Amino acid sequence: MIGDLWYKNAVIYNLSLATFMDANGDGIGDFQGLQRRLDYLHGLGITCLWLGPFQPSPMKDDGYDVADYYSVDPRYGTLGDFVEFTHGCKQRGIRVIIDLVINHTSDQHPWFQQARKDPASPFRDWYVWSDRKPENADQGMVFPGVQKTTWTHDREARAWYFHRFYKFQPDLNTANPRVQAELLKIMGFWIQLGVSGFRMDAVPFIIATKGADVTKPVEQFDMLRTFREFVQWRRGDALLLAEANILPEDDLEYFGHDGDRCHMMFNFQVNQHLFYALASGDGGPLIDAMLATKPRPHSGQWGSFLRNHDELDLGRLTEAQRQTVFDAFGPDKHMQLYDRGIRRRLAPMLHGDRRRLELAYSLMFTLPGTPVIRYGDEIGMGDDLSLPERNCARTPMQWSDEPQAGFTKSDRPIMPVISGGVFGYERVNAAMQRRDPESMLNWTERIIRMRKECPEIGWGDFRILKTGRREVLALRYDWRNNGVVVVHNLSDKPCEILLDVDGEGERSRLVNLLSEEHSLPDDKGRHPMVLEAYGYRWFRVGGLDYLMKRSEG
Ligand code: GLC
Ligand code: CA
């Protein structure tokens, strides 16, 4: 079983091909470039790559506007390069999951082109139309402030079409059985070419009812079961990782009460409250978020993350909490986006403070679930706020201090490389950090190794331990006769705690997993501990003979 649900103890790395590594010198990252960096990723210790969209696309939304589901954009290479790449990953024991963007297509997709030209076309009903402007056309925009409407008039079609996202992304009519059959075919195609599954884009919208008369969209959860069954028939260890920023009360609908829908979901609830905890030093709301998202089926797993390719969406916080995070991490208007979030990268948000970066990462790696890292965060890359919207956090990977950060031989990269200042490639790059044992890169490599040796976190049950302080978060995981305890001080001040590891009268010592500073219990079985500002600890309960004690089931 442990090997079968591989995603329970994986480390996922998210990258966008366009800005990772350019091998042919045209300024755009490509599969051959990525291929040559696989040993870097292997060395970092990640076990799964999540690749952003790479199919042919007008690239008006970073590839999330797909114009052909069965091919590779020629700027990135060929299908042949793709298969070489998945093979290269397989040789190194790295799995590949890819974005599956099926809520909408690009308006340049031949399906939409035919649908708009000819009302009699079989593709007409692949999209969502209305003869008149729907009353709710100015509601439900995903990108408020940039996107003005969810219905746009198409002259050629002489009708209005629905788009939950930008207007060049017409929504597919996912209720149409032919569309559903096509979606399965797309999944089957990429599985056949070597992927282990999909990061499913915009899941609540895919499964929602759509149409001019829909005032309150209703999710059709059965669709998720159909997807799940299909991928798992094609490949037993296939994974569906859902992007679904939903409320905890709906979690089980997405996982399936019997674990028969999505295997994994990003934990947006915990993500937002984690940033609140980092901003305020108060762990209370984060604990509430963890407890609210605790119920899940045995095979279900959370994806824990800090930042990704989108803005940090703070829409689920209270007004006051959101303001606290804005004040701490994105005080200027141009750092914020869509009235609800912050568009910056992690390192500049935390003012490049290494202690805070380690704290944030240590937390992410030890929250209940599987960690998902964003490329470049392992070296503490910055952002370029002069770029529009979310592009500020999508600049080329900083490989070295060579021209264009070693990303390309071209002097015209697809996105400008960050240069100069504290986050410029001259100072922040992988080559320099590789040589420095104390660098962020090497710290990340070590923490990944330790995280992989703690399957208790990915598999086990967690309990919140009492610390008597709102700024100190202590968790205990138990799994197969073994316990792991992690402690985080969110505050900028040192503090002293008395930790009760709560093991039913257990009086064992705590073995520190990251240093020689072990802890012995006092005569009441509690552990006195002094934590430095932003300090963190990872412990094993009991001795290092834990593997002898681990049970089989
Ligand atoms: C998801 C993606 C985002 C994209 C949107 C539309 O939210 O994460 O980058 O713009 O879907 O496909
Ligand atoms: Ca290229």
Side-chain angles (χ1 to χ4, degrees):
M1 224 12 201
I2 177 155
D4 290 349
L5 305 190
W6 60 271
Y7 53 92
K8 284 265 182 172
N9 203 41
V11 179
I12 303 179
Y13 187 91
N14 162 228
L15 70 86
S16 153
L17 207 53
T19 47
F20 201 63
M21 181 77 210
D22 171 28
N24 68 357
D26 65 353
I28 306 175
D30 45 47
F31 274 112
Q32 288 191 12
L34 173 54
Q35 179 90 28
R36 292 174 204 177
R37 291 297 186 187
L38 286 184
D39 291 314
Y40 167 85
L41 296 170
H42 186 233
L44 188 57
I46 58 115
T47 63
C48 177
L49 270 182
W50 153 29
L51 212 57
F54 53 81
Q55 289 82 2
S57 161
M59 304 281 177
K60 287 175 149 185
D61 183 17
D62 210 29
Y64 285 88
D65 45 339
V66 176
D68 174 6
Y69 287 99
Y70 297 106
S71 183
V72 167
D73 192 287
R75 284 167 278 197
Y76 297 141
T78 64
L79 276 177
D81 294 328
F82 179 80
V83 171
E84 279 304 295
F85 153 73
T86 52
H87 174 71
C89 289
K90 189 171 171 195
Q91 275 188 315
R92 292 166 178 85
I94 299 174
R95 288 172 201 265
V96 177
I97 61 175
I98 63 172
D99 250 286
L100 184 69
V101 190
I102 53 175
N103 176 64
H104 44 262
T105 68
S106 159
D107 59 0
Q108 300 307 307
H109 196 293
W111 300 337
F112 189 70
Q113 291 299 328
Q114 295 183 45
R116 68 163 22 149
K117 270 194 200 85
D118 178 7
S121 155
F123 292 107
R124 184 76 164 196
D125 195 38
W126 284 42
Y127 294 88
V128 185
W129 301 97
S130 172
D131 293 334
R132 259 166 278 122
K133 181 177 180 177
E135 271 170 32
N136 54 6
D138 58 352
Q139 281 162 33
M141 282 82 72
V142 173
F143 304 123
V146 181
Q147 181 192 355
K148 302 273 179 283
T149 172
T150 49
W151 288 86
T152 293
H153 186 257
D154 187 62
R155 274 225 236 126
E156 223 177 323
R158 296 163 185 259
W160 298 74
Y161 66 91
F162 175 64
H163 53 91
R164 175 63 67 189
F165 295 85
Y166 297 111
K167 72 170 181 209
F168 52 81
Q169 291 165 322
D171 267 51
L172 279 167
N173 177 11
T174 43
N176 180 337
R178 296 216 172 120
V179 172
Q180 290 187 7
E182 188 74 27
L183 299 182
L184 297 184
K185 203 191 270 183
I186 294 166
M187 296 188 211
F189 178 81
W190 292 106
I191 285 178
Q192 198 75 18
L193 294 189
V195 309
S196 291
F198 304 95
R199 179 259 187 195
M200 281 184 77
D201 190 55
V203 172
F205 302 123
I206 297 174
I207 64 174
T209 45
K210 311 181 188 193
D213 47 359
V214 174
T215 41
K216 201 177 174 299
V218 183
E219 294 112 313
Q220 309 295 302
F221 290 111
D222 265 1
M223 273 173 76
L224 295 178
R225 186 185 159 112
T226 310
F227 294 153
R228 162 75 170 255
E229 282 181 346
F230 178 84
V231 296
Q232 227 157 340
W233 282 330
R234 288 289 168 97
R235 179 172 172 150
D237 61 350
L239 171 75
L240 293 180
L241 166 53
E243 183 211 21
N245 185 350
I246 53 173
L247 288 171
E249 65 213 45
D250 295 327
D251 288 348
L252 279 175
E253 297 291 353
Y254 282 80
F255 282 128
H257 292 267
D258 300 322
D260 54 350
R261 292 174 186 163
C262 301
H263 304 82
M264 234 177 119
M265 285 203 282
F266 290 107
N267 198 332
F268 281 93
Q269 191 73 16
V270 160
N271 171 261
Q272 311 192 14
H273 291 89
L274 170 57
F275 273 93
Y276 175 73
L278 294 171
S280 67
D282 177 4
L286 173 58
I287 290 177
D288 294 343
M290 289 169 60
L291 293 175
T293 55
K294 191 168 186 188
R296 54 178 147 101
H298 170 72
S299 65
Q301 180 72 325
W302 287 116
S304 309
F305 64 106
L306 287 161
R307 291 288 291 111
N308 59 24
H309 64 297
D310 288 327
E311 83 285 6
L312 165 64
D313 186 338
L314 301 169
R316 302 266 179 226
L317 299 181
T318 65
E319 189 84 44
Q321 289 172 335
R322 187 164 43 250
Q323 197 53 49
T324 304
V325 184
F326 278 152
D327 291 346
F329 300 142
D332 299 344
K333 264 272 171 269
H334 76 294
M335 299 169 172
Q336 302 168 10
L337 197 59
Y338 311 136
D339 306 331
R340 60 163 181 241
I342 300 180
R343 63 192 191 115
R344 308 176 79 189
R345 270 219 190 229
L346 184 69
M349 275 200 275
L350 300 179
H351 312 286
D353 184 335
R354 176 68 182 264
R355 296 170 309 166
R356 300 185 84 179
L357 282 167
E358 286 187 19
L359 176 78
Y361 262 112
S362 172
L363 264 167
M364 184 193 85
F365 275 106
T366 57
L367 288 171
T370 292
V372 185
I373 313 170
R374 165 95 174 132
Y375 84 90
D377 279 1
E378 74 274 23
I379 56 171
M381 265 174 61
D383 46 42
D384 180 348
L385 292 172
S386 70
L387 298 173
E389 290 182 66
R390 292 161 289 164
N391 281 358
C392 61
R394 297 172 175 174
T395 61
M397 177 68 184
Q398 293 169 199
W399 292 109
S400 69
D401 62 0
E402 290 154 292
Q404 307 296 349
F407 157 71
T408 180
K409 289 274 179 218
S410 160
D411 50 12
R412 301 186 58 191
I414 177 163
M415 291 272 175
V417 169
I418 295 182
S419 171
V422 272
F423 295 109
Y425 72 90
E426 301 86 347
R427 286 211 217 169
V428 176
N429 65 65
M432 262 157 66
Q433 293 199 17
R434 240 191 227 105
R435 295 188 290 262
D436 173 5
E438 298 312 318
S439 67
M440 190 73 209
L441 178 63
N442 283 318
W443 180 88
T444 308
E445 184 191 319
R446 290 192 294 271
I447 213 79
I448 289 177
R449 183 173 63 216
M450 191 47 78
R451 174 62 182 76
K452 289 200 286 196
E453 289 191 45
C454 296
E456 290 80 8
I457 299 174
W459 281 88
D461 279 332
F462 73 89
R463 269 179 287 170
I464 312 282
L465 303 181
K466 288 200 182 68
T467 64
R469 285 176 177 273
R470 288 186 77 83
E471 67 273 30
V472 181
L473 183 67
L475 298 177
R476 175 181 172 135
Y477 290 91
D478 282 283
W479 182 69
R480 296 193 175 175
N481 250 347
N482 276 272
V484 166
V485 169
V486 291
V487 186
H488 292 88
N489 177 14
L490 300 163
S491 121
D492 58 355
K493 294 185 191 60
C495 72
E496 203 175 335
I497 57 165
L498 207 51
L499 191 67
D500 187 349
V501 296
D502 194 23
E504 290 104 48
E506 197 173 66
R507 285 216 181 165
S508 27
R509 67 181 187 136
L510 295 176
V511 176
N512 195 319
L513 294 175
L514 306 173
S515 79
E516 290 301 332
E517 199 191 312
H518 311 301
S519 173
L520 289 170
D522 65 14
D523 51 9
K524 293 210 178 81
R526 297 167 310 184
H527 292 259
M529 222 171 267
V530 178
L531 299 166
E532 60 280 21
Y534 305 121
Y536 58 93
R537 302 280 187 280
W538 296 24
F539 295 110
R540 260 189 190 285
V541 182
L544 285 175
D545 61 346
Y546 66 98
L547 286 180
M548 320 285 192
K549 294 190 195 134
R550 187 181 284 170
S551 57
E552 286 301 309

